[in-house]
Amino acid sequence: MADTDFVPLTPREGAALGDDVYAVLGEAILRGTLRPGDRLRDVELASRLGVSRTPVREALQRLERLGLIEVAANKYTRVSEPHPDAYAHTTEFMTYVAGDAAILGLSRATEEEHADLVDAVDALIDCSERDDGLGILGGTTAFYQLLIRATANRVFITIMREAGLALQRNLQGWTQPEEDVELRTARYRRLREAVVARDGHAAERILMELNHLPSPCGDDPR
């Protein structure tokens, strides 16, 4: 394992140690403190974190299910190498998820949640006009999170929260594409109109256009 310093964990009331270990290791992978290929040994991790091996093993199992680490029985447990198509596949997945969330969320959002969604699209419009690629990426993530929360569907919310680490890691390879700024901004303005009108199906179609994916009706925006 990489020479990584971990602060011993302090048990929190009502929190499972496995969740804390999972959060610490996941954050280390996202930040690159733990790099692809780094070996992870439960005994060593338990010692550094000041916990037993049980919560470490639980955390490693969760990270394996998400694809952040890979395990070969009796050989190694190590941080995985991101798949070459990780960014493209994650973008496609999240766009379709956000489309479903828009249909549910815009119809169920409270007035406060609805106002937050409109504000989020306004921020995206501003970033698009300035051609701020990182701002668009961060703003899109925030908008999707608000949509998912607005669905009020506990299964939806829980699954997406659990997958959050893997999704964040897969999006780290993002580079700003060359796009027509005016066309992209016009699409964000149409998205705002759909959000204001609580028209989830229209919002879904526009999200597909923004990410250059076939619309639900089969039309290809590219």
Side-chain angles (χ1 to χ4, degrees):
M1 188 176 71
D3 186 16
T4 303
D5 291 328
F6 291 118
V7 177
L9 294 173
T10 301
R12 296 177 299 150
E13 184 177 354
L17 270 177
D19 291 340
D20 290 339
V21 175
Y22 171 79
V24 168
L25 296 181
E27 183 67 19
I29 292 172
L30 288 179
R31 290 182 176 276
T33 308
L34 289 174
R35 301 176 298 275
D38 281 349
R39 299 293 181 97
L40 303 173
R41 299 176 177 85
D42 58 0
V43 175
E44 185 177 350
L45 286 169
S47 176
R48 291 191 180 191
L49 292 170
V51 299
S52 71
R53 294 169 67 184
T54 298
V56 172
R57 288 175 174 173
E58 292 172 355
L60 292 176
Q61 289 171 355
R62 289 172 66 184
L63 292 167
E64 182 188 12
R65 288 195 295 270
L66 290 173
L68 294 178
I69 68 172
E70 54 188 358
V71 177
N74 300 318
K75 291 184 179 180
Y76 58 76
T77 297
R78 66 189 182 192
V79 180
S80 64
E81 188 78 40
H83 190 279
D85 294 326
Y87 174 76
H89 289 176
T90 301
T91 300
E92 180 179 63
F93 170 77
M94 281 306 304
T95 304
Y96 280 97
V97 166
D100 287 339
I103 294 170
L104 286 176
L106 288 176
S107 65
R108 298 177 178 178
T110 64
E111 290 302 316
E112 182 178 355
E113 288 172 336
H114 187 229
D116 288 342
L117 285 164
V118 174
D119 287 344
V121 182
D122 284 339
L124 282 167
I125 293 171
D126 177 64
C127 289
S128 182
E129 289 177 332
R130 293 184 288 106
D131 202 22
D132 177 1
L134 289 177
I136 291 173
L137 178 62
T140 299
T141 300
F143 178 62
Y144 286 1
Q145 289 173 338
L146 289 170
L147 279 176
I148 291 167
R149 188 180 309 150
T151 66
N153 183 302
R154 304 313 305 172
V155 175
F156 205 147
I157 293 168
T158 300
I159 289 175
M160 294 310 301
R161 182 186 297 125
E162 180 72 8
L165 279 175
L167 297 174
Q168 288 180 64
R169 189 202 195 195
N170 291 346
L171 292 174
Q172 287 181 330
W174 180 87
T175 55
Q176 183 174 359
E178 292 186 8
E179 293 185 299
D180 183 321
V181 174
E182 291 186 5
L183 176 59
R184 181 186 62 209
T185 303
R187 285 172 171 163
Y188 279 122
R189 293 189 184 283
R190 287 171 48 220
L191 178 61
R192 186 186 194 281
E193 293 173 358
V195 170
V196 168
R198 292 181 179 262
D199 188 340
H201 290 283
E204 179 190 32
R205 289 192 295 272
I206 298 163
L207 289 172
M208 298 298 170
E209 292 179 23
L210 283 163
N211 288 287
H212 312 293
L213 294 171
S215 75
C217 298
D219 300 325
D220 192 336
R222 287 175 287 186

